[in-house]
């Protein structure tokens, strides 16, 4: 019985992240917030929507608002060679897709390894970051999904 409680305590100190890249930056999305990964097809533009709203699509009977993470972060536009991917997220009862460039692996990281945002972190990243993990010369920015999806009254009114 003691071994079981020790194992449970150890697993509580580990957080799993789905990794993705946008603009060469490595991001981690808490796996508990990720529903699926898909190729956005049949995207319909929304007139007068915020610029980071790429459009709407029907995904298995659900209407999904697709947010261009590159535009949300004010990164420069990129020539898209490959079709983008989207990470499916649910937020306040609505379905969203975050456009990303590549999807990575699921990382299990110690919760104690997460640090506050460094003072020199790019402000575009800091406003949507819930902290960082330092990984072998790379910085994993943990996305605060709620802040990423706080794109203004246009989305909130939808």
């Amino acid at each position: 019985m003691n071994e079981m409680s020790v194992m449970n305590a150890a697993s509580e100190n580990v957080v799993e992240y789905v990794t993705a890249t946008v603009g060469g930056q490595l991001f981690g999305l808490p796996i508990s917030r990720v529903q699926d990964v898909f190729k956005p097809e049949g995207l319909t533009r929304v007139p007068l929507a915020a610029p980071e709203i790429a459009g709407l699509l029907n995904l298995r009977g659900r209407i999904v608002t697709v947010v261009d993470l590159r535009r949300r972060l004010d990164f420069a536009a990129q020539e898209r060679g490959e079709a983008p991917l989207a990470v499916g997220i649910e937020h306040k009862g609505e379905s969203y897709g975050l456009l990303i460039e590549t999807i990575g692996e699921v990382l299990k990281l110690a919760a104690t390894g997460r640090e506050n945002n460094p003072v020199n972190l790019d402000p575009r990243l800091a406003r949507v970051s819930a902290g960082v993990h330092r990984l072998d010369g790379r910085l994993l920015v943990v996305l605060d999904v709620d802040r990423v999806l706080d794109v203004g009254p246009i989305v909130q009114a939808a």
Side-chain angles (χ1 to χ4, degrees):
M1 185 101 157
N2 272 345
E3 277 183 30
M4 189 63 123
S5 57
V6 169
M7 286 173 53
N8 286 340
S11 66
E12 288 173 15
N13 294 327
V14 173
V15 180
E16 292 182 289
Y17 297 101
V18 174
T19 60
T21 56
V22 175
Q25 176 60 54
L26 182 65
F27 292 98
L29 292 99
I31 199 166
S32 60
R33 299 294 304 265
V34 174
Q35 292 183 321
D36 50 11
V37 176
F38 59 93
K39 286 191 178 198
E41 297 176 355
L43 202 59
T44 303
R45 296 281 310 152
V46 179
L48 305 177
E52 56 264 29
I53 303 300
L56 300 174
L57 60 82
N58 184 328
L59 181 67
R60 296 185 291 276
R62 294 178 310 184
I63 300 300
V64 177
T65 301
V66 179
V67 177
D68 187 335
L69 199 48
R70 179 176 274 282
R71 291 195 84 173
R72 177 71 177 104
L73 297 171
D74 295 325
F75 286 179
Q78 174 191 10
E79 296 294 322
R80 295 207 186 260
E82 295 181 32
L85 294 172
V87 176
I89 304 285
E90 188 162 319
H91 177 68
K92 297 182 180 176
E94 299 291 326
S95 296
Y96 292 89
L98 300 178
L99 284 183
I100 59 169
E101 291 158 10
T102 61
I103 192 77
E105 58 191 332
V106 173
L107 294 179
K108 294 180 181 183
L109 301 173
T112 55
R114 187 169 87 185
E115 303 173 24
N116 291 331
N117 292 335
V119 294
N120 61 346
L121 184 66
D122 187 318
R124 298 174 296 181
L125 299 176
R127 72 174 184 238
V128 296
S129 172
V132 298
H133 282 274
R134 298 178 194 276
L135 308 172
D136 296 329
R138 288 195 79 182
L139 192 67
L140 174 84
V141 175
V142 177
L143 281 181
D144 182 326
V145 175
D146 297 328
R147 282 194 244 161
V148 169
L149 294 176
D150 183 22
V151 292
I154 294 171
V155 172
Q156 291 173 356

